[in-house]
Amino acid sequence: MADTKAKEEELNFTKEQFSLTMIPGKFARFLRNCVIFQFIRFIIINVKMIIVVQKSH
Amino acid sequence: MARLIVLGGGVSGHTTATFAKKWLGNDHEVVVVTPNANWNWIPSNIWVGVGQMKKEDVVFPLAPVYAKAGIDYRQALAVSIHPDGKDGSDKPYVTIKYTGQGKEGESEEVEYDYIVNATGPKLNFDATPGLGDGNGQMGPHTVSVCTADHAAHAHSELMNIFEKAKSGDRQKILVGTGHGMCTCQGAAFEYIFNIEHEAKKAGVRDNIDIKWISNESFLGDFGMGGLHMKVGGYVVSSKLFAESLYSERNVPWIIGAHVNKVEEGKVHYELLDGTMGEEEFDFAMLIPPFSGVGLKAYDKAGEDITSKVFNPAGFMKVDGDYNPKPYEEWKAADWPRTYQNPDYSNMFAAGIAFAPPHIISKPMKSVNGTPINPTPPRTGMPSGIIGKAVAHSVVDLIKHGDNAKLHEASMAEMGAACVASAGKGIFDGQAAAMTVYPVVPDFEKYPGTGRDTDYTFGEIGLAGHWIKHILHHLFIYKAKLKPGWTLIPE
Ligand SMILES: Cc1cc2nc3c(=O)[nH]c(=O)nc-3n(C[C@H](O)[C@H](O)[C@H](O)COP(=O)(O)OP(=O)(O)OC[C@H]3O[C@@H](n4cnc5c(N)ncnc54)[C@H](O)[C@@H]3O)c2cc1C
């Protein structure tokens, strides 16, 4: 029997509607919940949002 | 002493009234006419709808806040505006009907020098047969998260579904828009991903099918014609961004759909290609279309001038360019700047209550001729900014006379920040944090995408959750007029 190398995130590509989309892999999903990385993003997103708010007033 | 009446104590009206009162002081009067006893931080209704917050967490009573601010609060519905006064008096006035304060059902005429219409949307459930109850309220087949009470009801219905799924009974959830002309896709988008997250947490996801249905011609349109944003060094369409979110979470979609009938456990819809379809559900949250709240206007002789003051959907005409023109000729300059009514210079509209010149998304019709396209969103940040600009203008008119320069806040020169959570946890779940600048694309200034991609971005992660938590507390703090409230931007 051939080895199966299933990757969780790739299983949804088997559904026709999802097959032409992009689905994040393990690393991207890890970063989304990595507290240190997210803390840095938190600062960056806040700065960007504050600029947008300032430009809008 | 001049009197400003603000109709509506929601996001926009509350901003207008509180700033106007702060700037005018006790020399002039600010009156708020609004039927609600509570202020509601509407974005957090999503968390009420999945049981992560209680109704009490997202509302607070208006009366003590207005008492502290020196604002005259009338808990009432505005019924009609009489901008020319009446026989024997040139003084403009508004008729109101009390909904609280021990005067329920009583009518009153309140004179004004300036009026701001910030009455937001009417949740027009009855536009789709079966979505409403025929009396203007939500019908029995679906739920909504548009008000805190609706959201609390949605949560209890959702828990029944989770219980059934737990006991092995496969369940079907449908979330999206309940008509071809809906706006507010963002709220439904956030709700579906919160449901998905909670279903996983409760261990019932494998026994629940979750599906999206909306009037967008592509996923990620959001009523803004979509947006292009910088992600991972690329400039990509929100279509890719949104499709990825749905695919990752195994949530299939039906788009370009006009839901034309709702029955117990079933919606009927028409697609842009003209085909008709049906979708069954055990639980459905469908956003209703929005219209104006149905204010009437009368001239001095008592003649109905509603169509002069309001557009056919009931939104107040302001300084936008309402001349019908084809999509190819739409310009950023069509959008209003001062929100002053063209016929009555002492009348303004703010937030959802103003009439947009046209939609933002590309207009679409099914092959049968049914319009199926999102109407333009006027989200919290634009509603607040417009409310504040209008307050500024009215204050200047009162203090400096009729020639005072009006303040401007065009949606084609203003951004919006949105955070769509998927869960509420500090360490679990993910949110999509997005900004768009400007809300209305300006293809003359930004050829290509219509927007400034340095300030139009989206990303997914925990950081968005933290921001949503902070916004929840910050905006409730601000709306309660706690110390330093004016420093918190809209
Ligand atoms: C579930 C949900 C989630 C959302 N999430 C977000 C988000 O995350 N970010 C974001 O930016 N925006 C979000 N929005 C949109 C945001 O809530 C609106 O843009 C905003 O509330 C509009 O402000 P408004 O003042 O125009 O209307 P509202 O806030 O609706 O206020 C209108 C007020 O007028 C009152 N009124 C109605 N009829 C009358 C009458 N006849 N006389 C007097 N008063 C009247 C109403 O009671 C209400 O108090 C969301 C909306 C929903 C429904």
PDB file of all heavy atoms in Angstrom, chain B residues 346-371:
ATOM      1  N   ASN B 346     -30.399  74.427   7.849  1.00  0.00           N
ATOM      2  CA  ASN B 346     -30.280  74.086   9.283  1.00  0.00           C
ATOM      3  C   ASN B 346     -30.564  72.603   9.539  1.00  0.00           C
ATOM      4  O   ASN B 346     -30.814  72.198  10.667  1.00  0.00           O
ATOM      5  CB  ASN B 346     -31.222  74.958  10.128  1.00  0.00           C
ATOM      6  CG  ASN B 346     -32.671  74.759   9.735  1.00  0.00           C
ATOM      7  OD1 ASN B 346     -32.973  74.143   8.701  1.00  0.00           O
ATOM      8  ND2 ASN B 346     -33.585  75.271  10.547  1.00  0.00           N
ATOM      9  N   MET B 347     -30.540  71.831   8.461  1.00  0.00           N
ATOM     10  CA  MET B 347     -30.864  70.403   8.581  1.00  0.00           C
ATOM     11  C   MET B 347     -29.701  69.564   8.051  1.00  0.00           C
ATOM     12  O   MET B 347     -29.200  69.796   6.949  1.00  0.00           O
ATOM     13  CB  MET B 347     -32.127  70.134   7.757  1.00  0.00           C
ATOM     14  CG  MET B 347     -32.722  68.773   7.975  1.00  0.00           C
ATOM     15  SD  MET B 347     -33.999  68.476   6.760  1.00  0.00           S
ATOM     16  CE  MET B 347     -35.377  69.326   7.439  1.00  0.00           C
ATOM     17  N   PHE B 348     -29.256  68.605   8.840  1.00  0.00           N
ATOM     18  CA  PHE B 348     -28.130  67.748   8.462  1.00  0.00           C
ATOM     19  C   PHE B 348     -28.523  66.285   8.687  1.00  0.00           C
ATOM     20  O   PHE B 348     -29.465  65.998   9.440  1.00  0.00           O
ATOM     21  CB  PHE B 348     -26.900  68.055   9.329  1.00  0.00           C
ATOM     22  CG  PHE B 348     -26.304  69.425   9.111  1.00  0.00           C
ATOM     23  CD1 PHE B 348     -26.891  70.559   9.688  1.00  0.00           C
ATOM     24  CD2 PHE B 348     -25.162  69.588   8.337  1.00  0.00           C
ATOM     25  CE1 PHE B 348     -26.345  71.818   9.493  1.00  0.00           C
ATOM     26  CE2 PHE B 348     -24.603  70.842   8.143  1.00  0.00           C
ATOM     27  CZ  PHE B 348     -25.193  71.964   8.721  1.00  0.00           C
ATOM     28  N   ALA B 349     -27.781  65.392   8.066  1.00  0.00           N
ATOM     29  CA  ALA B 349     -27.967  63.960   8.357  1.00  0.00           C
ATOM     30  C   ALA B 349     -26.596  63.354   8.604  1.00  0.00           C
ATOM     31  O   ALA B 349     -25.609  63.762   7.973  1.00  0.00           O
ATOM     32  CB  ALA B 349     -28.650  63.256   7.202  1.00  0.00           C
ATOM     33  N   ALA B 350     -26.521  62.399   9.523  1.00  0.00           N
ATOM     34  CA  ALA B 350     -25.232  61.783   9.847  1.00  0.00           C
ATOM     35  C   ALA B 350     -25.394  60.280  10.004  1.00  0.00           C
ATOM     36  O   ALA B 350     -26.460  59.790  10.381  1.00  0.00           O
ATOM     37  CB  ALA B 350     -24.688  62.388  11.147  1.00  0.00           C
ATOM     38  N   GLY B 351     -24.330  59.556   9.696  1.00  0.00           N
ATOM     39  CA  GLY B 351     -24.345  58.095   9.836  1.00  0.00           C
ATOM     40  C   GLY B 351     -25.175  57.455   8.737  1.00  0.00           C
ATOM     41  O   GLY B 351     -25.262  57.972   7.613  1.00  0.00           O
ATOM     42  N   ILE B 352     -25.817  56.373   9.071  1.00  0.00           N
ATOM     43  CA  ILE B 352     -26.572  55.624   8.051  1.00  0.00           C
ATOM     44  C   ILE B 352     -27.750  56.439   7.511  1.00  0.00           C
ATOM     45  O   ILE B 352     -28.232  56.199   6.403  1.00  0.00           O
ATOM     46  CB  ILE B 352     -27.031  54.269   8.652  1.00  0.00           C
ATOM     47  CG1 ILE B 352     -25.799  53.378   8.887  1.00  0.00           C
ATOM     48  CG2 ILE B 352     -28.040  53.560   7.765  1.00  0.00           C
ATOM     49  CD1 ILE B 352     -26.061  52.057   9.564  1.00  0.00           C
ATOM     50  N   ALA B 353     -28.199  57.441   8.253  1.00  0.00           N
ATOM     51  CA  ALA B 353     -29.402  58.193   7.867  1.00  0.00           C
ATOM     52  C   ALA B 353     -29.234  59.063   6.614  1.00  0.00           C
ATOM     53  O   ALA B 353     -30.223  59.481   6.018  1.00  0.00           O
ATOM     54  CB  ALA B 353     -29.848  59.076   9.031  1.00  0.00           C
ATOM     55  N   PHE B 354     -27.999  59.347   6.191  1.00  0.00           N
ATOM     56  CA  PHE B 354     -27.868  60.197   4.993  1.00  0.00           C
ATOM     57  C   PHE B 354     -28.006  59.348   3.731  1.00  0.00           C
ATOM     58  O   PHE B 354     -27.672  58.167   3.724  1.00  0.00           O
ATOM     59  CB  PHE B 354     -26.549  60.993   5.003  1.00  0.00           C
ATOM     60  CG  PHE B 354     -25.339  60.254   4.498  1.00  0.00           C
ATOM     61  CD1 PHE B 354     -25.074  60.121   3.133  1.00  0.00           C
ATOM     62  CD2 PHE B 354     -24.432  59.704   5.385  1.00  0.00           C
ATOM     63  CE1 PHE B 354     -23.954  59.443   2.670  1.00  0.00           C
ATOM     64  CE2 PHE B 354     -23.300  59.024   4.935  1.00  0.00           C
ATOM     65  CZ  PHE B 354     -23.071  58.890   3.576  1.00  0.00           C
ATOM     66  N   ALA B 355     -28.514  59.969   2.679  1.00  0.00           N
ATOM     67  CA  ALA B 355     -28.724  59.252   1.420  1.00  0.00           C
ATOM     68  C   ALA B 355     -27.411  59.192   0.637  1.00  0.00           C
ATOM     69  O   ALA B 355     -26.870  60.241   0.270  1.00  0.00           O
ATOM     70  CB  ALA B 355     -29.788  59.964   0.591  1.00  0.00           C
ATOM     71  N   PRO B 356     -26.903  57.996   0.381  1.00  0.00           N
ATOM     72  CA  PRO B 356     -25.698  57.913  -0.446  1.00  0.00           C
ATOM     73  C   PRO B 356     -26.051  58.243  -1.900  1.00  0.00           C
ATOM     74  O   PRO B 356     -27.193  58.004  -2.318  1.00  0.00           O
ATOM     75  CB  PRO B 356     -25.249  56.455  -0.296  1.00  0.00           C
ATOM     76  CG  PRO B 356     -26.399  55.715   0.255  1.00  0.00           C
ATOM     77  CD  PRO B 356     -27.394  56.691   0.819  1.00  0.00           C
ATOM     78  N   PRO B 357     -25.107  58.774  -2.671  1.00  0.00           N
ATOM     79  CA  PRO B 357     -25.447  59.142  -4.049  1.00  0.00           C
ATOM     80  C   PRO B 357     -25.703  57.922  -4.924  1.00  0.00           C
ATOM     81  O   PRO B 357     -26.487  57.979  -5.868  1.00  0.00           O
ATOM     82  CB  PRO B 357     -24.203  59.903  -4.533  1.00  0.00           C
ATOM     83  CG  PRO B 357     -23.092  59.486  -3.623  1.00  0.00           C
ATOM     84  CD  PRO B 357     -23.722  59.135  -2.315  1.00  0.00           C
ATOM     85  N   HIS B 358     -25.035  56.840  -4.618  1.00  0.00           N
ATOM     86  CA  HIS B 358     -25.230  55.571  -5.327  1.00  0.00           C
ATOM     87  C   HIS B 358     -24.513  54.512  -4.520  1.00  0.00           C
ATOM     88  O   HIS B 358     -23.891  54.839  -3.504  1.00  0.00           O
ATOM     89  CB  HIS B 358     -24.674  55.629  -6.768  1.00  0.00           C
ATOM     90  CG  HIS B 358     -23.356  56.333  -6.894  1.00  0.00           C
ATOM     91  ND1 HIS B 358     -22.185  55.819  -6.368  1.00  0.00           N
ATOM     92  CD2 HIS B 358     -23.010  57.521  -7.456  1.00  0.00           C
ATOM     93  CE1 HIS B 358     -21.189  56.663  -6.620  1.00  0.00           C
ATOM     94  NE2 HIS B 358     -21.654  57.717  -7.261  1.00  0.00           N
ATOM     95  N   ILE B 359     -24.587  53.262  -4.989  1.00  0.00           N
ATOM     96  CA  ILE B 359     -23.884  52.233  -4.236  1.00  0.00           C
ATOM     97  C   ILE B 359     -22.388  52.343  -4.535  1.00  0.00           C
ATOM     98  O   ILE B 359     -21.976  53.180  -5.344  1.00  0.00           O
ATOM     99  CB  ILE B 359     -24.453  50.828  -4.547  1.00  0.00           C
ATOM    100  CG1 ILE B 359     -24.272  50.457  -6.020  1.00  0.00           C
ATOM    101  CG2 ILE B 359     -25.909  50.766  -4.143  1.00  0.00           C
ATOM    102  CD1 ILE B 359     -24.697  49.033  -6.327  1.00  0.00           C
ATOM    103  N   ILE B 360     -21.583  51.532  -3.859  1.00  0.00           N
ATOM    104  CA  ILE B 360     -20.133  51.550  -4.108  1.00  0.00           C
ATOM    105  C   ILE B 360     -19.746  50.345  -4.972  1.00  0.00           C
ATOM    106  O   ILE B 360     -18.956  50.464  -5.903  1.00  0.00           O
ATOM    107  CB  ILE B 360     -19.352  51.527  -2.764  1.00  0.00           C
ATOM    108  CG1 ILE B 360     -19.773  52.715  -1.877  1.00  0.00           C
ATOM    109  CG2 ILE B 360     -17.845  51.574  -3.022  1.00  0.00           C
ATOM    110  CD1 ILE B 360     -19.145  52.709  -0.479  1.00  0.00           C
ATOM    111  N   SER B 361     -20.344  49.193  -4.673  1.00  0.00           N
ATOM    112  CA  SER B 361     -20.067  47.986  -5.469  1.00  0.00           C
ATOM    113  C   SER B 361     -20.595  48.181  -6.886  1.00  0.00           C
ATOM    114  O   SER B 361     -21.465  49.020  -7.125  1.00  0.00           O
ATOM    115  CB  SER B 361     -20.764  46.772  -4.855  1.00  0.00           C
ATOM    116  OG  SER B 361     -20.391  46.621  -3.513  1.00  0.00           O
ATOM    117  N   LYS B 362     -20.083  47.376  -7.794  1.00  0.00           N
ATOM    118  CA  LYS B 362     -20.574  47.453  -9.171  1.00  0.00           C
ATOM    119  C   LYS B 362     -22.043  47.021  -9.200  1.00  0.00           C
ATOM    120  O   LYS B 362     -22.386  45.961  -8.661  1.00  0.00           O
ATOM    121  CB  LYS B 362     -19.739  46.514 -10.043  1.00  0.00           C
ATOM    122  CG  LYS B 362     -19.918  46.734 -11.495  1.00  0.00           C
ATOM    123  CD  LYS B 362     -18.887  45.975 -12.291  1.00  0.00           C
ATOM    124  CE  LYS B 362     -19.090  46.334 -13.747  1.00  0.00           C
ATOM    125  NZ  LYS B 362     -18.161  45.686 -14.616  1.00  0.00           N
ATOM    126  N   PRO B 363     -22.925  47.830  -9.795  1.00  0.00           N
ATOM    127  CA  PRO B 363     -24.343  47.430  -9.811  1.00  0.00           C
ATOM    128  C   PRO B 363     -24.542  46.152 -10.618  1.00  0.00           C
ATOM    129  O   PRO B 363     -23.940  45.984 -11.673  1.00  0.00           O
ATOM    130  CB  PRO B 363     -25.048  48.608 -10.479  1.00  0.00           C
ATOM    131  CG  PRO B 363     -24.009  49.556 -10.903  1.00  0.00           C
ATOM    132  CD  PRO B 363     -22.671  49.082 -10.480  1.00  0.00           C
ATOM    133  N   MET B 364     -25.367  45.281 -10.107  1.00  0.00           N
ATOM    134  CA  MET B 364     -25.599  43.979 -10.762  1.00  0.00           C
ATOM    135  C   MET B 364     -27.087  43.699 -10.777  1.00  0.00           C
ATOM    136  O   MET B 364     -27.800  44.056  -9.828  1.00  0.00           O
ATOM    137  CB  MET B 364     -24.938  42.851  -9.955  1.00  0.00           C
ATOM    138  CG  MET B 364     -23.454  42.973  -9.774  1.00  0.00           C
ATOM    139  SD  MET B 364     -22.610  42.010 -11.004  1.00  0.00           S
ATOM    140  CE  MET B 364     -20.925  42.439 -10.638  1.00  0.00           C
ATOM    141  N   LYS B 365     -27.505  43.042 -11.838  1.00  0.00           N
ATOM    142  CA  LYS B 365     -28.901  42.584 -11.929  1.00  0.00           C
ATOM    143  C   LYS B 365     -28.872  41.139 -12.372  1.00  0.00           C
ATOM    144  O   LYS B 365     -28.004  40.758 -13.169  1.00  0.00           O
ATOM    145  CB  LYS B 365     -29.638  43.393 -12.997  1.00  0.00           C
ATOM    146  CG  LYS B 365     -30.268  44.643 -12.477  1.00  0.00           C
ATOM    147  CD  LYS B 365     -31.212  45.232 -13.501  1.00  0.00           C
ATOM    148  CE  LYS B 365     -31.821  46.486 -12.897  1.00  0.00           C
ATOM    149  NZ  LYS B 365     -31.985  47.559 -13.773  1.00  0.00           N
ATOM    150  N   SER B 366     -29.821  40.354 -11.899  1.00  0.00           N
ATOM    151  CA  SER B 366     -29.900  38.982 -12.401  1.00  0.00           C
ATOM    152  C   SER B 366     -30.416  39.052 -13.837  1.00  0.00           C
ATOM    153  O   SER B 366     -30.945  40.093 -14.258  1.00  0.00           O
ATOM    154  CB  SER B 366     -30.852  38.161 -11.537  1.00  0.00           C
ATOM    155  OG  SER B 366     -32.185  38.465 -11.891  1.00  0.00           O
ATOM    156  N   VAL B 367     -30.311  37.948 -14.556  1.00  0.00           N
ATOM    157  CA  VAL B 367     -30.818  37.984 -15.931  1.00  0.00           C
ATOM    158  C   VAL B 367     -32.331  38.226 -15.960  1.00  0.00           C
ATOM    159  O   VAL B 367     -32.876  38.641 -16.965  1.00  0.00           O
ATOM    160  CB  VAL B 367     -30.457  36.698 -16.716  1.00  0.00           C
ATOM    161  CG1 VAL B 367     -28.972  36.559 -16.899  1.00  0.00           C
ATOM    162  CG2 VAL B 367     -31.021  35.471 -16.021  1.00  0.00           C
ATOM    163  N   ASN B 368     -32.990  38.020 -14.824  1.00  0.00           N
ATOM    164  CA  ASN B 368     -34.437  38.317 -14.748  1.00  0.00           C
ATOM    165  C   ASN B 368     -34.703  39.775 -14.409  1.00  0.00           C
ATOM    166  O   ASN B 368     -35.850  40.188 -14.263  1.00  0.00           O
ATOM    167  CB  ASN B 368     -35.101  37.446 -13.673  1.00  0.00           C
ATOM    168  CG  ASN B 368     -34.729  35.992 -13.808  1.00  0.00           C
ATOM    169  OD1 ASN B 368     -34.704  35.468 -14.916  1.00  0.00           O
ATOM    170  ND2 ASN B 368     -34.416  35.339 -12.697  1.00  0.00           N
ATOM    171  N   GLY B 369     -33.632  40.545 -14.220  1.00  0.00           N
ATOM    172  CA  GLY B 369     -33.795  41.976 -13.932  1.00  0.00           C
ATOM    173  C   GLY B 369     -33.844  42.308 -12.449  1.00  0.00           C
ATOM    174  O   GLY B 369     -34.071  43.465 -12.075  1.00  0.00           O
ATOM    175  N   THR B 370     -33.625  41.329 -11.574  1.00  0.00           N
ATOM    176  CA  THR B 370     -33.659  41.611 -10.127  1.00  0.00           C
ATOM    177  C   THR B 370     -32.325  42.205  -9.690  1.00  0.00           C
ATOM    178  O   THR B 370     -31.281  41.584  -9.915  1.00  0.00           O
ATOM    179  CB  THR B 370     -33.888  40.294  -9.336  1.00  0.00           C
ATOM    180  OG1 THR B 370     -34.992  39.615  -9.912  1.00  0.00           O
ATOM    181  CG2 THR B 370     -34.117  40.561  -7.862  1.00  0.00           C
ATOM    182  N   PRO B 371     -32.342  43.417  -9.091  1.00  0.00           N
ATOM    183  CA  PRO B 371     -31.062  43.950  -8.609  1.00  0.00           C
ATOM    184  C   PRO B 371     -30.509  43.085  -7.476  1.00  0.00           C
ATOM    185  O   PRO B 371     -31.239  42.773  -6.533  1.00  0.00           O
ATOM    186  CB  PRO B 371     -31.410  45.352  -8.092  1.00  0.00           C
ATOM    187  CG  PRO B 371     -32.873  45.526  -8.285  1.00  0.00           C
ATOM    188  CD  PRO B 371     -33.473  44.255  -8.786  1.00  0.00           C
TER     189      PRO B 371
END
